[in-house]
Each structure stands twice: as structure tokens, then as C-alpha cells.
Amino acid sequence: MRGAAPPSPVPPVDRAGSAAWIGLGVLSIPIFMTAVDMSVLFLAMPTIAAELLPSGTQQLWVLHIGDIAGASLVLTAGRLVDRFGPRRLLLVGLLAYGAASTLAAASPSIEVLILARMLLGAATVTLAPAAVALLRRMFPSDRRFSVAVALLMAAFSGGMALGPPLGGLVLEHFWWGAIFLLNVPIALGVACAWRLLPGAGGTGQGRIDGASIGLSALGIAGFVYGGQELAAHGWSPWRGLAVAAGVVLIAAFLRRQRTLAEPLLDLALFRSASFSTALLCLWLVITASAGADLQFAQHLQVVSGHSQLTAGAWLVVPALVSVAATAASPVLLRRLRPGHAIGLGALTAAVGAVGVLFVVPAGPEASTAALVGASCVVAIGMAPVFAIGTNVVLASAPASQTGTAQGMQDVSGSLGNTAGLAMGGTVAYLSYSGAVRDSLPTGLDAATAGQSAESIGGALAAAEALPPDLAGQVADAAAAAFAIATRDTYIVAAVGFTLLAAVAFWGLRRARLDEGDRPRDEGAEGPAEPGPRLLDRAASDLRCTQN
């Protein structure tokens, strides 16, 4: 018809049906479960040590081998999710997780438990990339997708918060293997509910380069392992060599990606300033907070004088605050751009860190409520950095590379945690050692003074062999020095949060999460899975399952 106005473009769907929200609930369960596993093992280690009699090094391997295995394989997992489809990889990951949990629960020796923990770490790497890739198809609206990602991250925070009390409850009534065996019915139950999730396929194209897998896995594993060992035990040539080898292998991996027609990691993603800056923000927030978090947990025990159980109960408070703040973070996007919301959150975290600085100088006399309150402010500030920063990373990548984008975020987090623990541990050690040497009572022999300067645990152990008056002076000097170390780690955190705010305000000033701003897959004429069609399919799957 002549003169007729062209049809208006159809606005993107901004509603998600019940099937999508049910799917979000299903995906939240394994994310919650893996987060619980990360925190519950610390409580179980004394019982495990008493039964399996591991060496000190073996205990560290039990705690960290899963993290190292997961970090080294996460890039590969993200690429596999993109190629073979998120629902398929989620199912494989869940079944592998259940099998590895069964092996861990039945471990007859510490060596078998270490192997099981490594397999658990390898199994979990597909869960987060697959879950996020499915969410991107289930929630075609960017606004709803932001809320869904925030709720998924809140489930992770909730698992971290509830891990210690849940683990304590299980260990009080069952043997230590029950903390792993609990995962088996959960993993099988979620796997059986796979039809509640959309049948999203992968690209089905491209080969997986074996050399790239080896270089990325060994490079990340070397860097993370070496960094963790340096943070825990200080400098040694072998630990430094592990970090250096990791850096060299990662550089070789990146160079190889430039020469491949079908790279494991598409470096074109980094052409997006928003993608690169958001990854940098996530790395900075973890680097700034990792050392301070570790120091704070110890401070409540060795300086404030709380038992492990009481200290754990206090730490649940900021963890629960983090859950609520993470879930609520998308509300900020109603009035603020992503960069401004992240920057404001970073400044809030810096204010909380400064609050800790004002309280810790009081040492044992400091109010625990005030310390925890300041820690809650830090948690509130960090929440939008994680929730909104994740959304910027995912929105800056084509839908077909969601798994890879999530994998890069996980790598950024692992490297940030390693860097943060190494930097925070170094600052804490130097501050504590210098302060305690200046305040130890005169007349101590060189061996006792040296042991006291190495760590507060060494100081308290040395004090047990001293006369009561002298022992009290050594213990008081060690507690005061540890408080100084806590102060200095929070100075580093405050500086890091402030730097993060500057990066977010400037580097993400043009970043947006509006509809239409996502990169389109090359050659695509429209969304891979239109919103109404996707929801109809999910609803159909739900009806089939119920029947």
C-alpha cells in the first residue's frame, strides 16, 4: 500500500515465563552446591587428618587441588560449552561431579581423596559456563538477564555463607565422607531435571586444538599453584619457577591463538573495551579483597579471641549481606550506567575498608560488631562489581561465545585470587614480622624471637614454653603486631578498591546493557533462539516432564 508507514520494529521481549524462572531455580542448585563444597572442607579437615593421617603438604593438596584443576581447565570448558551446547555439557558435568563425590566419600587413603578432589575441580568447570549460557537463552531481555545472573551469583554467595554451618551440622551427626556424599542425590536430581532447561545447541563447528588446551591448562595451573605456594610459604626458587613457567606458557598460548583459524580463545573478544575493562574490574576486586578477607578471618580468632565456631558465626553476617546485595544489584541499573554502578560500589567497598582501619588499632579491645559492620559495608560495595561486571562481560560477547566469556571471567577470578593472596600475604608477613620484632620483651633468646617473628602461631607456640609473665608479654606483642598486619592489608584493599573505582568510572563510561547493544553473531540474521519460541519450548519441556 502506497504511503503506508513501515512497520515498527518489534520490541524485545521483556518478560520471562514461569518455565524460565523454574529453570533458573534448577541452575542455582549446582552453583549453590559447589559453593558449599568450597567452604565446608575447612571444617572437615581436622577429622579427615585424624583418620587418613595426611602430611602437611597433602592437606594443602586436598584443599587446593580442586581449585588448580578447575582454573586450568575453565577456558577449555567454556569452548566446549559453546561448541557442543550448554545443556549437554551441564549434564556431563553433573554426572561427573556425582561420581567424583562418591569417590571422595569412600576414599580409603589420602592419595585417593586428593585424586577425587582433583576430579571434582575438573567436573565443576562446565557448570558455571553452561548455566550462564542457558540463562542467556532463557532470558532474552537484557534487563531480565541481568536479574537472573545476579540471582545465580547470589546462590553462589549463599552457598559460601551456609557452607560452614551446614558442614558443622553434617559432621556432628555423620562421618566426614557425608559432606561429599550429600552431593550425589543433588547432582542426580538436577541431572534428571534437564528437560526443564531449553534444548540449546552449540555451534557444532570448529576443532578443539590439543596444543592450546595443554598450554592454557599447564600455564594457568603453574601460575595459580606457584602463587598459592608463595602466599602460603614464602619465596623459594621452585615456587618462583612455577609462576614464571606459568607466565611463559600463558604467553605461548596467547601467541598460538593468533595463528589458529579456530582458536580455543577468540582474542577478538578483547577488541571490546567494555569486555576487557570489565574483566580487569573483576580481577581488581578479587585481588584487592582476597588477602584482606583471609586476614580478617584470622584476626577474629587470634586478636579478638573468638573460637573457630564463634568467628565462623560472625563471618556468616557479611556473607548473608553479600547475598542480599548481589541479588539487589540490578536495581542500580535503573538509574545508573554500569560503569557508574560498579564505580560507586567500589567506592563503597573502599569506605568499608577504611572503617576497618579505624577499628583494628584497638587490638583485642576492638568491638567485634564494629569490625563485622565495616566488613558488611565492604560486602555491599563489592556486590555490584561482581553482579554488574559479570553482565558487562557477557553482554560484550556474542551469544555463541557465552561459555568462553564466562570461562574468561573464571580465569580472571582465579588469577585475581592468586595475586591477592600473594600480595596480601606478603604485606601481612612483612608488617607482622617487623612489628613483633620491635615489641617483643627483652631477654628472649634468638630462637624464640625468630620463631615468634615467623607467624603468630609460632609466637603462641613459643609462649607456651615460657614463664607466665614472659609468655603473656609475647602473646600480647604478637596480637598487637597481627592487628598492625590486618590494618596494612586493609590499606592495600582500600587502595585497590579506589583504583577499581577509577577504572570503572573511566573505562566503562560508555558501557551499556540496553537491548540491541550485544554483539551479534557473525552472519546471524536474528537471535539464535527467539524469546517467545524459547519460552514455548521450555514450557513444552516442562509439560512433558510433568506428564
Side-chain angles (χ1 to χ4, degrees), residues 417-440:
N417 189 61
T418 298
L421 290 176
M423 181 172 62
T426 300
V427 169
Y429 172 77
L430 294 176
S431 298
Y432 169 81
S433 181
V436 79
R437 288 183 185 278
D438 293 338
S439 57
L440 284 173

Side-chain angles (χ1 to χ4, degrees), residues 43 57 126 133-134 142 189 195 217 250 252 267 274 339 344 389 407 428 519 525 542:
L43 284 178
T57 301
T126 61
L134 286 168
D142 277 331
R195 288 189 62 86
I250 291 172
L267 298 182
S274 295
L344 181 62
E525 298 180 356
L542 176 60

Side-chain angles (χ1 to χ4, degrees), residues 317-319 321-322 325 344-356 369-384 490 497:
V317 177
V321 168
S322 176
L344 181 62
L347 288 179
T348 302
V351 170
V354 172
V356 175
L371 283 171
V372 172
S375 179
C376 288
V377 175
V378 174
I380 291 172
M382 291 173 60
Y490 271 89
F497 291 139

Side-chain angles (χ1 to χ4, degrees), residues 53-225:
L53 303 177
S55 66
T57 301
Q58 288 174 326
Q59 290 189 54
L60 290 175
W61 276 112
V62 170
L63 291 172
H64 298 304
I65 188 64
D67 296 335
I68 295 171
S72 64
L73 293 173
V74 70
L75 270 183
T76 303
R79 182 70 177 88
L80 292 175
V81 166
D82 291 338
R83 180 180 177 183
F84 296 108
R87 190 169 72 163
R88 184 180 301 173
L89 266 294
L90 180 71
L91 179 62
V92 171
L94 285 169
L95 294 178
Y97 192 81
S101 296
T102 303
L103 178 62
S107 296
S109 67
I110 194 64
E111 290 80 10
V112 175
L113 180 58
I114 291 173
L115 172 64
R117 285 281 296 157
M118 181 182 69
L119 295 176
L120 279 169
T124 58
V125 294
T126 61
L127 300 184
V132 172
L134 286 168
L135 287 184
R136 192 156 181 176
R137 291 161 171 81
M138 294 158 59
F139 295 89
S141 159
D142 277 331
R143 188 165 69 88
R144 298 295 183 186
F145 178 70
S146 297
V147 174
V149 169
L151 292 176
L152 194 71
M153 296 189 67
F156 182 84
S157 298
M160 292 292 291
L162 297 178
L166 181 61
L169 182 65
V170 171
L171 291 171
E172 186 175 348
H173 296 92
F174 303 98
W175 94 113
W176 61 266
I179 64 172
F180 297 107
L181 203 59
L182 188 65
N183 297 329
V184 178
I186 296 175
L188 291 177
V190 175
C192 290
W194 67 278
R195 288 189 62 86
L196 298 177
L197 305 173
T203 62
Q205 300 175 354
R207 68 184 186 90
I208 304 297
D209 181 57
S212 294
I213 293 176
L215 288 172
S216 65
L218 293 175
I220 296 173
F223 185 87
V224 171
Y225 168 72

Side-chain angles (χ1 to χ4, degrees), residues 450-493:
Q451 179 179 342
S452 299
E454 281 298 313
S455 67
I456 191 168
L460 297 178
E464 294 178 356
L466 299 174
D469 291 344
L470 196 57
Q473 294 179 52
V474 170
D476 291 343
F482 200 88
I484 292 173
T486 302
R487 180 202 66 189
D488 290 349
T489 57
Y490 271 89
I491 290 176
V492 172

